Amino acid sequence: MSNPTGGCLCGSVRYEVTAATDRIIMCHCTSCQKASGAGASANIALLTEQLVFTTGEPKIYVDTAASGTKLNRAFCSECGSSIFSMRQNMTDRLVLKAGSLDDSSHARVTMHIWTDSKRPWSLIDETLDSHEGNRPA
Ligand SMILES: [Zn+2]
Ligand SMILES: [Zn+2]
C-alpha cells in the first residue's frame, strides 16, 4: 500500500505520511475549536519525521495553552487550512489534522480529550475512552 497523502484546501501545501493514520483523538479544547472552526479537532499522533512535505510548507502560529505550554499551529498561508500542531517542548512529535488527509476512510476515533470544554452540540461516543483534560501520559 502506498503512503497516506494529504494537504490543504488550495493545494499549496501537500504531504505524505510514512506511518499508519488510523487512530484519531478528538480534542475539544477551546483553542482547537477556534483554530478549526469546528467543535473539536481530529488529531492523529505522529513522530515529526513521519510527516514529509512534498509541496510547500505551512505557516506557524504560536499558541499558548492554558498550561502555559507553547504550541505551534501549522496552517496553509494561502487558504488557512489547519495541517498539524506541535508542542514547542516536544518537537519530535506532532498531531496531524485528520481532515487534511485525502483519504481517511480507514481511520477511527479512539479517544476524546478536553471534554470539559466540549460544545453543547458536540456529540461524543460514550463508549470511547474520554478525558476531561489532556490525555494521560
Ligand atoms: Zn492552502
Ligand atoms: Zn486542542
Side-chain angles (χ1 to χ4, degrees):
M1 221 180 85
S2 55
N3 287 332
T5 55
C8 66
L9 182 59
C10 75
S12 297
V13 175
R14 296 284 306 160
Y15 63 75
E16 191 173 311
V17 181
T18 62
T21 53
D22 53 353
R23 296 164 65 87
I24 295 173
I25 298 173
M26 298 297 294
C27 181
H28 299 263
C29 82
T30 52
S31 290
C32 280
Q33 290 168 357
K34 292 281 185 181
S36 66
S41 69
N43 295 329
I44 295 174
L46 296 174
L47 295 174
T48 298
E49 65 192 24
Q50 292 170 333
L51 179 64
V52 180
F53 287 96
T54 51
T55 305
E57 284 272 339
K59 191 172 174 176
I60 304 295
Y61 169 72
V62 180
D63 188 15
T64 305
S67 61
T69 302
K70 300 268 190 224
L71 187 80
N72 290 354
R73 289 186 177 271
F75 62 98
C76 172
S77 61
E78 294 297 321
C79 70
S81 304
S82 294
I83 306 293
F84 72 84
S85 55
M86 174 198 280
R87 290 185 197 175
Q88 287 191 352
N89 62 5
M90 211 191 289
T91 55
D92 57 330
R93 286 169 190 278
L94 55 78
V95 292
L96 178 69
K97 304 301 171 178
S100 68
L101 284 164
D102 295 329
D103 177 11
S104 60
S105 52
H106 53 284
R108 295 290 175 270
V109 173
T110 58
M111 190 189 291
H112 289 271
I113 60 172
W114 295 106
T115 58
D116 249 8
S117 51
K118 133 183 145 53
R119 300 272 171 157
W121 39 263
S122 281
L123 294 174
I124 289 187
D125 180 347
E126 302 291 343
T127 64
L128 293 178
D129 201 10
S130 101
H131 303 279
E132 291 180 355
N134 208 352
R135 72 192 282 200

